[in-house]
Amino acid sequence: MKKQYVSLLVILLAASGFLFSCGNTMNKNVGALEFDSIQVNETAHLFGDTAKPGCNITINFAYASKSSDEKLKDSLNTYFLSACFGDKYMTMTPEEAVKAYKETYIQDYLKDLEPMYAKDEAEKEDSASISAWYSYYKGVEGHVQYYKKNLLVYRIDYNEFTGGAHGIYMSTFLNMDLRTLSPIRLDDIFVGEYQEALTDLLWNQLMADNNATTRQEVEEMGYTSTGDLEPTENFYLSEKGITFYYNIYEIAPYVMGPVEITLPYEIMSHLLSDEKGVLIMNS
């Protein structure tokens, strides 16, 4: 009897260990990714003279530094590099791309603006106004906003000033399915002819966010004065729902800034399909 009890205990312990191991595997983030970042903050002045205007470039670029899957790591970094700096940098290493992008920006600034500045200076234009028009900056930041199981959300913030009344800034998002190594599109998570119904939900949420009861009320606030409100591929997935992100001028004037509309999963349940298993509501 004692032998049977000991044998049963061993079997139970082994089974529990197996189930625990399976549970850990099921909950594991795909690729076991680790991330690092490269920072740059450099200023260059016209003609190398610190008394003259200059340009400043700042970069804070997050990239995958380690992974249990090298192909996944390299593919992700290719997407990150392309999204932050452009396709011509996507075959470089993160270090090479950041260095090349910074150098190109400074070289182009000096090449394009030094002849113009020299001409203005020779014509003895007001030095203060000249300085304002020739002082440029650019900022690029890419970081991992969310990483869990087979979903990774990467955010890119971009801002630039090239003279004028104000600079320009924008944010874009990559929602990556780590199993297929591909970006997630609206068609991947919505079913059927969803566009019209989804647009109605966006309008309803925009009205609720602004304590309005009609579309006319939010239109009078300035929304949709620069573009139509419709589903955008510039969205990100979160535990709250799906946030549709509209940069300045897309649906509202510059002074109103970017517009974010978050739709909870439950109000879209009739439109959603999670065949790919990427929606966080099921994680």
Side-chain angles (χ1 to χ4, degrees):
M1 184 69 177
K2 189 174 181 182
K3 275 186 179 180
Q4 289 178 335
Y5 175 77
V6 171
S7 298
L8 180 61
L9 182 61
V10 169
I11 292 170
L12 287 173
L13 287 172
S16 64
F18 174 76
L19 290 173
F20 179 77
S21 174
C22 286
N24 278 348
T25 301
M26 291 293 289
N27 292 324
K28 189 175 180 181
N29 293 338
V30 171
L33 290 158
E34 295 180 27
F35 303 93
D36 202 348
S37 62
I38 303 170
Q39 291 88 31
V40 166
N41 187 343
E42 189 164 326
T43 299
H45 293 271
L46 295 172
F47 302 102
D49 184 349
T50 57
K52 298 186 187 304
C55 68
N56 173 257
I57 181 167
T58 60
I59 299 172
N60 188 358
F61 176 68
Y63 64 96
S65 57
K66 294 181 181 178
S67 175
S68 59
D69 183 339
E70 284 296 305
K71 180 183 176 184
L72 171 65
K73 176 176 73 70
D74 293 342
S75 295
L76 275 180
N77 285 335
T78 296
Y79 275 109
F80 296 166
L81 289 167
S82 176
C84 286
F85 307 120
D87 288 349
K88 76 177 193 177
Y89 297 92
M90 62 194 293
T91 59
M92 300 180 185
T93 67
E95 294 81 5
E96 290 170 342
V98 169
K99 184 174 184 291
Y101 189 83
K102 176 202 72 174
E103 291 176 349
T104 298
Y105 174 73
I106 291 174
Q107 289 166 5
D108 288 348
Y109 169 80
L110 297 176
K111 181 182 70 175
D112 293 343
L113 270 69
E114 280 183 343
M116 297 167 58
Y117 181 84
K119 183 174 181 296
D120 283 345
E121 197 174 39
E123 293 174 356
K124 302 193 184 301
E125 296 285 347
D126 178 64
S127 59
S129 64
I130 289 178
S131 179
W133 282 97
Y134 285 91
S135 296
Y136 283 22
Y137 68 75
K138 175 177 278 192
V140 181
E141 179 176 356
H143 68 268
V144 177
Q145 182 166 291
Y146 187 92
Y147 171 41
K148 187 174 181 182
K149 294 187 178 179
N150 54 297
L151 173 66
L152 184 145
V153 179
Y154 192 82
R155 174 172 178 154
I156 305 100
D157 294 313
Y158 171 93
N159 67 88
E160 185 171 18
F161 179 77
T162 56
H166 54 69
I168 193 77
Y169 60 97
M170 63 184 296
S171 298
T172 56
F173 301 87
L174 274 175
N175 300 273
M176 297 295 300
D177 183 342
L178 299 179
R179 296 165 308 174
T180 61
L181 298 180
S182 60
I184 300 164
R185 308 297 184 191
L186 292 180
D187 286 348
D188 296 324
I189 52 179
F190 288 96
V191 294
E193 299 297 324
Y194 63 85
Q195 290 85 354
E196 186 175 345
L198 184 55
T199 299
D200 288 339
L201 291 175
L202 287 167
W203 269 107
N204 291 341
Q205 190 62 52
L206 183 62
M207 289 187 289
D209 291 344
N210 289 276
N211 298 314
T213 55
T214 66
R215 293 188 181 187
Q216 184 178 347
E217 285 182 72
V218 292
E219 287 173 345
E220 289 173 353
M221 295 175 188
Y223 294 105
T224 69
S225 60
T226 58
D228 295 333
L229 176 59
E230 55 190 13
T232 173
E233 291 289 349
N234 195 32
F235 68 91
Y236 61 88
L237 302 173
S238 72
E239 294 179 1
K240 293 180 179 179
I242 303 176
T243 298
F244 296 83
Y245 194 99
Y246 302 89
N247 284 295
I248 53 173
Y249 293 127
E250 288 188 333
I251 65 168
Y254 185 92
V255 68
M256 295 180 70
V259 178
E260 296 185 60
I261 305 176
T262 300
L263 298 180
Y265 292 116
E266 54 267 25
I267 71 169
M268 298 180 289
S269 59
H270 59 298
L271 301 175
L272 291 170
S273 168
D274 196 22
E275 289 181 5
K276 292 181 175 290
V278 293
L279 296 181
I280 300 170
M281 64 178 184
N282 290 338
S283 64

